[in-house]
Amino acid sequence: MLVNCVAYKRGQRVADIPISEIRAQLSDPSCFVWVALKDPELAEVERLQEEFNLHELAVEDASRGHQRPKIEEYGASLFVVLHMIETQGDELRTGEVAIFVGPQYVVSVRRETSHGFSEVRRRCEDEPELLQHGPAYVLYALMDTVVDRYFPVIDSLTHEIEQIETRIFASNTTRAQVEALYNFKQRLMVVDHAIGPLLEVTSKLHGGRVPPICAGLHDYFRDVYDHLQRLKQATDQLRDMVATALSVNLSLITLQENEVTKRLAAYAALVAVPTMIAGLYGMNFRHMPELDWRWGYPLSLGIMAAIDVYLVYRFRKAKWL
Amino acid sequence: MLVNCVAYKRGQRVADIPISEIRAQLSDPSCFVWVALKDPELAEVERLQEEFNLHELAVEDASRGHQRPKIEEYGASLFVVLHMIETQGDELRTGEVAIFVGPQYVVSVRRETSHGFSEVRRRCEDEPELLQHGPAYVLYALMDTVVDRYFPVIDSLTHEIEQIETRIFASNTTRAQVEALYNFKQRLMVVDHAIGPLLEVTSKLHGGRVPPICAGLHDYFRDVYDHLQRLKQATDQLRDMVATALSVNLSLITLQENEVTKRLAAYAALVAVPTMIAGLYGMNFRHMPELDWRWGYPLSLGIMAAIDVYLVYRFRKAKWL
Amino acid sequence: MLVNCVAYKRGQRVADIPISEIRAQLSDPSCFVWVALKDPELAEVERLQEEFNLHELAVEDASRGHQRPKIEEYGASLFVVLHMIETQGDELRTGEVAIFVGPQYVVSVRRETSHGFSEVRRRCEDEPELLQHGPAYVLYALMDTVVDRYFPVIDSLTHEIEQIETRIFASNTTRAQVEALYNFKQRLMVVDHAIGPLLEVTSKLHGGRVPPICAGLHDYFRDVYDHLQRLKQATDQLRDMVATALSVNLSLITLQENEVTKRLAAYAALVAVPTMIAGLYGMNFRHMPELDWRWGYPLSLGIMAAIDVYLVYRFRKAKWL
Amino acid sequence: MLVNCVAYKRGQRVADIPISEIRAQLSDPSCFVWVALKDPELAEVERLQEEFNLHELAVEDASRGHQRPKIEEYGASLFVVLHMIETQGDELRTGEVAIFVGPQYVVSVRRETSHGFSEVRRRCEDEPELLQHGPAYVLYALMDTVVDRYFPVIDSLTHEIEQIETRIFASNTTRAQVEALYNFKQRLMVVDHAIGPLLEVTSKLHGGRVPPICAGLHDYFRDVYDHLQRLKQATDQLRDMVATALSVNLSLITLQENEVTKRLAAYAALVAVPTMIAGLYGMNFRHMPELDWRWGYPLSLGIMAAIDVYLVYRFRKAKWL
Amino acid sequence: MLVNCVAYKRGQRVADIPISEIRAQLSDPSCFVWVALKDPELAEVERLQEEFNLHELAVEDASRGHQRPKIEEYGASLFVVLHMIETQGDELRTGEVAIFVGPQYVVSVRRETSHGFSEVRRRCEDEPELLQHGPAYVLYALMDTVVDRYFPVIDSLTHEIEQIETRIFASNTTRAQVEALYNFKQRLMVVDHAIGPLLEVTSKLHGGRVPPICAGLHDYFRDVYDHLQRLKQATDQLRDMVATALSVNLSLITLQENEVTKRLAAYAALVAVPTMIAGLYGMNFRHMPELDWRWGYPLSLGIMAAIDVYLVYRFRKAKWL
């Protein structure tokens, strides 16, 4: 679906144009066109491929989806794939944006994501002096937005691991807690696989040799890179936390078993000792003087109770009960 | 076994030729020959070695098999080994393709695999404008096909780990589940050892210094490299998942033991307490007024039952039963 | 909040100046201005941005805070972010210092930290021959101070892990000890994330290509780098220790369970054997000669006691009790 | 012990010569001498040091033994140390070969190994056109042989881990199996420490800057390197397998404990329930109608049996028995 | 404390000189002075700083101690810090040697170590042809000695882990064994932190760009590097062994618990079954023919004994007893 298609000249919006007028606009070298597509049909992408002369392999990737985050140079143009992560209930959903950047065009193709980029377009149009940098600035603005959207995801993951952690230490571990840790780890991997490859490739947009189209925006792309490094550090920290939590959890579960065993043993003792004493007085020896005592029975019950009270005291002291 | 041997000129199929006519074809520098062998005898490979002047060490590797995936330059020609992975029931079988690529020839030698490359040949012949790039394009087409065949293998592994995972959390862990995780890990290693080294060497076919024969196909080999990176990322993720699953599984098994212990303790209590009470009234004291009560026996049974009912209630509440 | 703003000339303090006079001072190229801010308002930073022509992205980072430690070049000036770690009761709090360094200015902006840098200023003013190096020397003095403040943090962590370790081996493991290890690991991560990235970027200030502003202070920045390496090594060692401690702890917990099981079994035996013997003499066989013996009852008690004494002796010897 | 000392000219064996004639042979620059020593005395090595002007530090290493695999350049000559691994019963023994290679000599010194290199000499003499490459070809032949001898060691390790693995899943884990895994790991480390460093240094003999003496044998040393990479990959896989096996094994042991606990509990129940019922009818209440029934006793036994049969059925169904 | 201060000329000892004469000696460019200090006062170091014009930061490091192993260039001179490890009872103590090397001087400052370097001085003076290389050769001799002193430490660690390992497999694991493993790991870290950083920096003294003062001693420093690599490999192996030992140990402890549980269960059965039978004959049914049998009592005892004998036989066979 075509979201919009706008021509810009020296950083100023010229007009919303239909696709058929793109070619006319491009004849003016100070103009560029910014096209946004959403879950497009193959035909739509092929139409743009013709207009902008996009590379076949890049178009194939953009049409198929399910790419990893990457930045590829095709001659003077760039092909960028970014992952967008959205929280949906308990799950993380991965959407994709493919961006074609050439000297006179930007084409963004997003898939399986509800978040659009209209705010990016608005922000860009509000700063015409920056938008004058051309398509590469639009690329920066898109990347910056996508990367900034990772922060709340990381924040909610951080919040979640802290909650799991509190629960682990607050009470006995249950299957639900182990499952929560496992699910957390899964979601962390989703985020990590969006950030990791992007970090790697973004380093090619600043410092050292840079694609010519991005020259002059060095500081901006380094800023994106810096954000990605912060995100990477955060996910590394989360991974470390979940690993430690898993390991600590196993210790706690074993400890818990230990405590259960001790508690059981204590209760068993409280039952076993009276049983033994009752057994003694259940013996059929002819000569057992206690049996004939007037207060033999209450006395024996009293002894049992006394022993149990003493045992409870000892077990309490040893923290077995 | 010779599968086929075809001469091409400017991207067009000229003719199926016998091996003896190869030399004649090669005299025309715009021609190249594409030979496909399957589990060949040593003699067959040696015959081709003579015709194409293949390097002794490469021929040795292709004849012996059991190589690791690799790309080696011998002067102006390349020697490539790829692994092919096929699912056979519960196991993964590794086949091998050795490919010799020279300025005027491609020789593919496949071993211990049922999948052939006839579709590759067909696809290449359908796009003569691409096949015009010569033997290096055939190499690309072969590599692309082999690499694309890894995706369903990875998909079925992903499906499998998800099933194992569901089973682990759904019910108590059994030896069968532990064994499933172990076997999964084994199969993952097979895939990883096909993809890992190939990823490493494919990076030499694009970017930086490239073997002269591959020049001009830079974007195509980068595409293969990109697919391999996606596969690598997928196997890394699977490895991470199986490691976490193993670790979580141990926690669950220990937790399970915990639960079993608690359940046992609860049942033991239900038996031990009545036994103790019965023991009390089994004592032979002369003066035990309850023994003479009319309703002493039913009352004692009632007390036992009441205590057990209360215990069941308490254990249920504490989730021990 | 503006802490102070001082002009220096050839390493000598000239005067405390208001912000409005900065421009006048800067007209003398042998002068530089050192401004210190604490938790500033956006307006204050923007005022300085104008005066010193600071880069927009750097100002944004300094205003927002929550950056990772980094060193960025913007043309001839540097933007540095450092983390400051303070112990607050049981927790580690991370503050931040952002430092802008240009040919004629140093601006330090600290946030969420109680430790100031007045001692740094004093030390610098005491050594005018060193301060003559200009703003880069101030940067060195600030970095050196921040880095040196990590050492006591590491020392207290080292002390703490040694205490945990002593407790682990001295007595049975408790939940509190596991939680202590976990919390220790968390705090270690905070320190690690301050030191790790800083180490990485500090290496760019000495050896190889160095920002022009830092030239001539090569040995000083290498010294900072060397301190950071010692800190890194210390945190690596601590991480290794906590991992080993966690793993050893699990072994000890399991061992402990073992010992509890044995102790319980021993006590159970001491109760079960007399119960069994009492059961024997509770049988109602008509012909049980012992029952009629005069000393049958005390004898049976004696036998029970003797068996228990023997068992205690055996269990003691086997270290079960 | 001098094994042999032979002079070669243009790839052809000239003669077995005594050490005293070496100097005479070397005067002809188209000649080279190949000396093989076995567990030599210091004097023997020093004699050769004089003849060939070997570097003092290299001679020291060759005399002392216990070096790590390495390749060192001393001016125009090379000093190579390789490990040889031999299976001796259940253990792996590490022998050493030190090789000095100069423009006109090869000296191999082997220690603590029974395998000699006579076959290498024979193979070399059978291919005079290759031996013409001179001492570097001999080095290649020796390295190739040593490296090829690692393959059966790896194969037997692979076979062994598969057997351990089968035993682990087939039956309950015993101390013997844990010990087998541990010993396996030890042996794997021996192999790894032979292959790892060698792989690293062999890469210096092909590609990029190569010691002048090895120039022209690029493809051959790359072949050795390739074999080493296969070996490395195999040992990596084995290491991964043993780590997974250790981890899986712990799960299985815990699971096994679980099963033992359940089985015990089931048997305990079969005994405890009849004991409780017997306890009931052991009570001394005056009014217990069942006690007077004609069939009271057999009925009570029947009830006990019935309950136990039911319990066995339930336990069987729950797989506890 | 000044140990000694000797002037050398062309590799020959000239004379023991007081510090005040150093300046005189240095006026002869073919002379150099070798000063050895032990736990010096600040004043002593400052005196030498003046004489040799040592760099302030290096002097600071040497005076304070607690540096990590490192090699730093200050103009034409080098500053080297090495760790010395000494076994003291069960602990490893780390001493430090700081070495200043300039064109005409070597100053060694050792701290907290009892081992001196008089033997190094003797060895150097015995080989004047090597000592002619000047201060850099002294540096080599000192480094070589320090590094060689690590070998016995590693050997004793290797011996120790083998003993621990034997104990682990020989008998049941105790807290003492777990503690031994933990302490071993601690000591290994001490060694590792001496060797690791030194290995890293020593690589800068041979191959590639080398500090001018070390030029010509390339082969000697490579030898030191090679020794360090062997040590590193040894510590890596030890680390791997202790990790595997910890992991195996946990399996053994769990296995041990398993065995304890089984043994207990067996003994419990031997007591529970007779208790149950005794319970049966303790029932008060009027019609229990066995009770009236002449041999009822001995028969019942015989049955109990027979069942226990059978159980013992079964448990022995199943290796539970």
Side-chain angles (χ1 to χ4, degrees), chain C residues 131-143:
Chain C
L131 192 51
Q132 246 178 325
H133 283 107
Y137 184 79
V138 176
L139 172 63
Y140 156 71
L142 287 167
M143 286 181 73

Side-chain angles (χ1 to χ4, degrees), chain D residues 136-171:
Chain D
Y137 185 78
V138 175
L139 173 64
Y140 156 71
L142 287 168
M143 288 181 73
D144 191 46
T145 305
V146 167
V147 168
D148 278 354
R149 282 175 188 167
Y150 292 147
F151 283 99
V153 176
I154 292 286
D155 287 350
S156 85
L157 284 175
T158 307
H159 183 63
E160 194 182 329
I161 187 84
E162 280 165 1
Q163 278 189 322
I164 293 178
E165 179 182 305
T166 309
R167 278 207 305 275
I168 285 176
F169 285 110
S171 67

Side-chain angles (χ1 to χ4, degrees), chain D residues 184-248:
Chain D
F184 181 83
K185 182 71 192 272
Q186 302 291 85
R187 257 168 303 155
L188 186 57
M189 277 197 275
V190 170
V191 179
D192 217 28
H193 287 142
I195 293 170
L198 194 55
L199 178 67
E200 195 188 316
V201 292
T202 305
S203 71
K204 294 184 202 156
L205 298 185
H206 77 95
R209 193 239 154 225
V210 152
I213 208 170
C214 297
L217 287 164
H218 175 279
D219 291 340
Y220 290 91
F221 286 111
R222 186 177 62 190
D223 198 56
V224 171
Y225 181 71
D226 184 54
H227 289 188
L228 281 165
Q229 272 196 313
R230 268 161 63 199
L231 287 162
K232 182 90 185 97
Q233 177 167 324
T235 58
D236 284 353
Q237 181 156 1
L238 287 171
R239 196 200 342 270
D240 213 355
M241 279 170 86
V242 76
T244 314
L246 271 168
S247 146
V248 158

Side-chain angles (χ1 to χ4, degrees), chain B residues 247-312:
Chain B
S247 145
V248 157
N249 201 21
L250 181 57
S251 290
L252 287 177
I253 291 173
T254 313
L255 210 50
Q256 197 169 310
E257 196 177 359
N258 236 326
E259 284 160 13
V260 166
T261 308
K262 284 176 179 170
R263 186 131 21 105
L264 295 183
Y267 282 118
L270 296 185
V271 171
V273 170
T275 303
M276 180 183 67
I277 294 173
L280 292 179
Y281 292 111
M283 292 196 293
N284 298 322
F285 287 103
R286 183 157 307 169
H287 304 284
M288 291 179 70
E290 300 96 316
L291 295 182
D292 299 325
W293 292 356
R294 187 75 195 86
W295 300 105
Y297 175 51
L299 199 69
S300 71
L301 290 185
I303 289 172
M304 291 176 200
I307 291 180
D308 270 13
V309 164
Y310 174 70
L311 285 176
V312 166

Side-chain angles (χ1 to χ4, degrees), chain D residues 112-131:
Chain D
E112 292 174 43
T113 171
S114 53
H115 291 306
F117 294 108
S118 50
E119 45 160 317
V120 180
R121 195 179 287 269
R122 213 171 315 113
R123 214 182 77 194
C124 285
E125 293 175 355
D126 286 357
E127 304 180 310
E129 75 288 0
L130 290 172
L131 192 51

